[in-house]
Amino acid sequence: MLDLRKLLAPSRTASAHCDIPCGIYDPHGAELGARTVTKMVSLIQEAQEGTDPESRQTFVRCVKVKEEHAEIVKRELQILWSDYFKPEHLERYPDLHEKVWKALKLASKNKQSIDATAARDLEAAVAEIARIFWETKGGQPATKAA
Amino acid sequence: MNGIARLVASWRARVALTGHSMSPTLRDGDWVLVDPDAYRLRSPTPGELVVADSSAGPVVKRVAERLDPTSLLLAGDAPSGGGHHHEVVLAVSTVSGRPWFRYWPPGRIGRVR
């Protein structure tokens, strides 16, 4: 039986652990949130011209989605900040706290306002934190790099 | 022939599962065949099992939601609780296959979905 087990045993393991205590972190959630904020700002600006009920509804829904995703960006960044990044990362990237803090502030600004520049700034700030994240991981997995 | 090719490819991509977030569908210590071509021509849809290459290595999860064309919200089958969160957002491009058959332990051999 032992030999059969050896013969059949997989050479690789896949984790079905929960993310936070077990170390599955990814900046993709924050990046997606920031992209969604930008997209919503653009749709809001298009919809604000219309006065018919359909345009009003689109406007309200886009505002709601924008605010939700600004909040998602904050939550995802806070998870990376509090649970993933470690003192050795801060030694390598001394401005990491400043960058995360500014990105969180930008997310709040985007939640409060309809501002295409602020949305682009948020995307850039999140992209920079994602870059640092992947550098600390030694690069993105091959399937992500494409 | 297609079936045999799929079996061979799935055997090569087989994984041993660790952790409890996919319980009761998949349990810690299960060995499963993974079809690496299942999502080659299409993207996984909500409810389907996936193996994805996360920053912490391969993970097995279920697609909870397609967030946008490039992103999936993946979740475990076991209920979250006690500070454990089974959900993670990953790029569609990280998906590397579909677990479809448990071949170990002998008492639990069978299709998984």
Side-chain angles (χ1 to χ4, degrees):
Chain A
M1 194 56 120
L2 197 65
D3 284 342
L4 183 63
R5 265 187 73 100
K6 262 188 193 168
L7 199 69
L8 300 177
S11 56
R12 63 178 189 141
T13 59
S15 166
H17 290 278
C18 34
D19 56 346
I20 288 175
C22 309
I24 300 173
Y25 300 103
D26 198 297
H28 191 75
E31 292 174 292
L32 171 66
R35 277 208 308 275
T36 304
V37 168
T38 303
K39 177 78 180 164
M40 288 305 120
V41 168
S42 156
L43 290 175
I44 289 164
Q45 285 171 340
E46 283 171 24
Q48 68 187 358
E49 304 296 329
T51 52
D52 55 298
E54 201 165 315
S55 296
R56 292 288 85 198
Q57 179 177 289
T58 303
F59 179 85
V60 170
R61 287 181 65 189
C62 290
V63 168
K64 182 169 174 282
V65 173
K66 174 182 73 70
E67 293 188 5
E68 284 169 356
H69 280 76
E71 200 57 42
I72 288 171
V73 172
K74 285 166 74 173
R75 193 191 68 210
E76 293 284 325
L77 289 180
Q78 280 164 353
I79 289 171
L80 293 179
W81 198 15
S82 60
D83 299 350
Y84 172 72
F85 286 119
K86 296 176 180 57
E88 58 262 35
H89 298 143
L90 203 62
E91 279 173 26
R92 193 169 154 198
Y93 304 97
D95 54 354
L96 181 62
H97 282 342
E98 181 81 6
K99 282 181 171 167
V100 176
W101 183 62
K102 280 187 173 166
L104 291 171
K105 286 278 181 200
L106 269 169
S108 291
K109 185 177 179 183
N110 275 282
K111 190 177 171 186
Q112 291 160 357
S113 58
I114 300 164
D115 182 336
T117 306
R120 276 197 300 276
D121 289 349
L122 176 63
E123 273 198 82
V126 170
E128 172 63 8
I129 292 163
R131 183 189 68 78
I132 291 172
F133 174 89
W134 288 114
E135 274 189 11
T136 65
K137 286 280 181 185
Q140 291 193 21
T143 48
K144 286 204 77 169
Chain B
M1 189 59 200
N2 264 351
I4 292 170
R6 178 183 177 218
L7 202 61
V8 170
S10 296
W11 179 253
R12 287 186 181 141
R14 70 195 188 278
V15 294
L17 203 83
T18 65
H20 301 278
S21 83
M22 289 309 294
S23 181
T25 311
L26 291 167
R27 295 186 195 157
D28 187 63
D30 281 358
W31 294 352
V32 291
L33 301 184
V34 177
D35 182 354
D37 300 316
Y39 303 124
R40 200 151 293 211
L41 297 176
R42 66 174 183 89
S43 292
T45 55
E48 289 189 303
L49 291 171
V50 295
V51 174
D53 295 315
S54 79
S55 62
V59 292
V60 173
K61 295 276 175 186
R62 193 179 295 282
V63 178
E65 201 179 332
R66 184 79 187 261
L67 299 171
D68 80 348
T70 65
S71 315
L72 298 171
L73 176 66
L74 303 180
D77 283 359
S80 295
H84 290 226
H85 300 266
H86 302 315
E87 293 183 350
V88 62
V89 177
L90 290 178
V92 175
S93 59
T94 63
V95 172
S96 62
R98 182 169 73 89
W100 63 279
F101 192 86
R102 176 180 35 246
Y103 69 95
W104 196 275
R108 295 185 359 97
I109 288 173
R111 209 176 168 85
V112 290
R113 50 165 62 95

